Amino acid sequence: MNALLEIDGAACSGSGMIVRQAMAYAAVTGIPVHLRRVRAHRPSPGLRHQHLCAVEAVRTLVGGTVEGAVLGSRDVTFRPAGGSPHGRYAFDVGTAGSATALSLALLPVLATAAEPVRVDLTGGLFQDRAPSAFHLQHVLAPLLGRMGLAVEVTPVRPGYPPKGGGVLRLVVRGHGPLLPLDAQSPGPLRSVWGIALASHLREREVARRMADGAREVLARAGHDARIDEYDDTTALQPGAALALFADLTDGWRLGADGAGAPGRRAEAIGAATARRLLEELRTGAALDRFAGDQIVAFTALAHGRSRVRPAAVSDHVRTAVWLTNLFGLARAELTGRLLVVDGGGRPRRRPG
């Protein structure tokens, strides 16, 4: 039996990302892990609902045993059984915890599957401090497509804090080893567009007002943005979300998100999200801040050398690099804003 790989959950970012990515890496490498001091320095330390769901979901995909998988636990041990995802799955965070963040624990594991897999995730789809379902759909999924991993992302029902209840569907169809990614020189801007979504807020015209707030800021910067407006009635509660995108040459795309909250004016959401997108554009990067850390696990799984220059090097990027090297899945090196990952590639698993 392999020795446990010890991981300090309070190191680097000290966030739930360590739990999610360590579980994914353990699943694809077969290396058992012991996570200690999980989120030790956070206001509510230990596993919260969304982290607990990630632990249980990864174990379900590949089999194995988990110790310490209870709410609030700061000590978790996972011994993967080496199974392969197949068929259909459904996982419910049980709160408004981010279903999109949960998907980032599952996608690297699903990338090793030998057959198509469908997963429905229930939780929050649009909230602060997490990539939106629209970002996953329109930024990360196309990036993975460039690497040879066909991923369909469908927001089936919006979900917002505090109730959650949103449904996000993932369908993954891979074909052979992942290709390395060279994301250094995106080229000039081609177009700016977006999606303004409001649930149970038609009378207040929230979708239109968010879009107008964004268009005004973007127009002052010289961009004529096409923003589609949607009024939804399927969510469990009122809520709003805005996603803006910048399409660059050769298929690169940057994104920026904004979410509604009590007391937050729709016009202010639009303006703030537009300013964030303009900040991404000014960096000259091919990958935005969210995509910069999301892509690390997939470059580690790819066969060959990836070169990535994200808009910013966040604590999450540094954490992803640290975990990649710790598992020995690939060799990752960060120099300034340039990330170089020498991936060894992962063979496709046989169906379990």
Side-chain angles (χ1 to χ4, degrees):
M1 181 178 293
N2 293 333
L4 286 173
L5 178 62
E6 297 286 337
I7 298 177
D8 184 357
C12 293
S13 67
S15 67
M17 176 193 176
I18 295 176
V19 176
R20 291 188 295 269
Q21 192 152 349
M23 289 293 297
Y25 278 175
V28 300
T29 61
I31 297 173
V33 294
H34 174 216
L35 283 157
R36 54 187 176 81
R37 299 206 304 158
V38 171
R39 302 179 67 254
H41 303 310
R42 299 291 172 165
S44 299
L47 298 177
R48 309 317 302 160
H49 288 280
Q50 60 268 35
H51 314 118
L52 181 58
C53 187
V55 170
E56 295 174 339
V58 172
R59 183 197 61 77
T60 298
L61 293 181
V62 300
T65 61
V66 174
E67 300 168 19
V70 294
L71 198 63
S73 174
R74 305 189 197 186
D75 199 280
V76 179
T77 299
F78 173 45
R79 293 180 174 86
S84 180
H86 60 282
R88 296 186 178 187
Y89 301 87
F91 303 110
D92 189 343
V93 176
T95 67
S98 176
T100 57
L102 171 60
S103 72
L104 297 175
L106 307 186
L107 282 170
V109 186
L110 299 176
T112 68
E115 60 184 57
V117 183
R118 185 180 115 177
V119 181
D120 286 349
L121 307 176
T122 301
L125 270 60
F126 304 103
Q127 59 223 110
D128 292 338
R129 296 183 296 279
S132 75
F134 291 144
H135 187 278
L136 199 71
Q137 181 181 32
H138 295 292
V139 177
L140 183 61
L143 271 177
L144 298 180
R146 295 175 79 107
M147 300 179 72
L149 183 66
V151 179
E152 296 174 16
V153 179
T154 306
V156 177
R157 181 174 66 204
Y160 315 94
K163 291 184 178 180
V167 178
L168 182 68
R169 177 166 297 158
L170 309 175
V171 178
V172 179
R173 299 181 179 91
H175 58 86
L178 295 185
L179 304 173
L181 187 68
D182 191 331
Q184 298 183 80
S185 303
L189 176 69
R190 295 177 56 193
S191 63
V192 177
W193 60 283
I195 303 169
L197 169 70
S199 298
H200 306 292
L201 294 169
R202 180 188 291 272
E203 291 184 359
R204 294 168 56 185
E205 297 185 308
V206 168
R208 179 192 61 77
R209 290 163 51 206
M210 287 192 301
D212 285 348
R215 290 189 190 103
E216 183 177 344
V217 171
L218 293 168
R220 288 200 298 267
H223 306 300
D224 182 14
R226 174 183 59 82
I227 303 176
D228 296 327
E229 303 164 13
Y230 297 97
D231 288 294
D232 165 72
T233 58
T234 66
L236 300 188
Q237 66 175 70
L242 176 67
L244 298 176
F245 305 100
D247 283 353
L248 312 171
T249 55
D250 297 326
W252 300 108
R253 178 176 291 157
L254 306 177
D257 289 329
R264 192 175 291 172
R265 294 180 63 249
E267 294 82 358
I269 295 169
T273 307
R275 286 192 290 269
R276 282 193 288 273
L277 184 66
L278 293 174
E279 289 172 6
E280 301 283 351
L281 279 167
R282 281 192 287 269
T283 68
L287 301 184
D288 60 48
R289 286 162 172 78
F290 279 134
D293 68 74
Q294 294 167 353
I295 206 66
V296 177
F298 302 97
T299 59
L301 289 170
H303 186 74
R305 172 169 287 187
S306 295
R307 296 175 177 87
V308 174
R309 196 181 301 274
V313 177
S314 65
D315 285 344
H316 279 179
V317 171
R318 295 187 181 92
T319 300
V321 169
W322 167 63
L323 283 170
T324 296
N325 289 323
L326 191 64
F327 274 88
L329 182 60
R331 187 175 70 179
E333 184 176 356
L334 191 58
T335 305
R337 271 177 47 209
L338 177 63
L339 172 63
V340 178
V341 182
D342 288 308
R346 295 294 302 174
R348 297 248 165 235
R349 299 172 185 265
R350 295 179 179 177

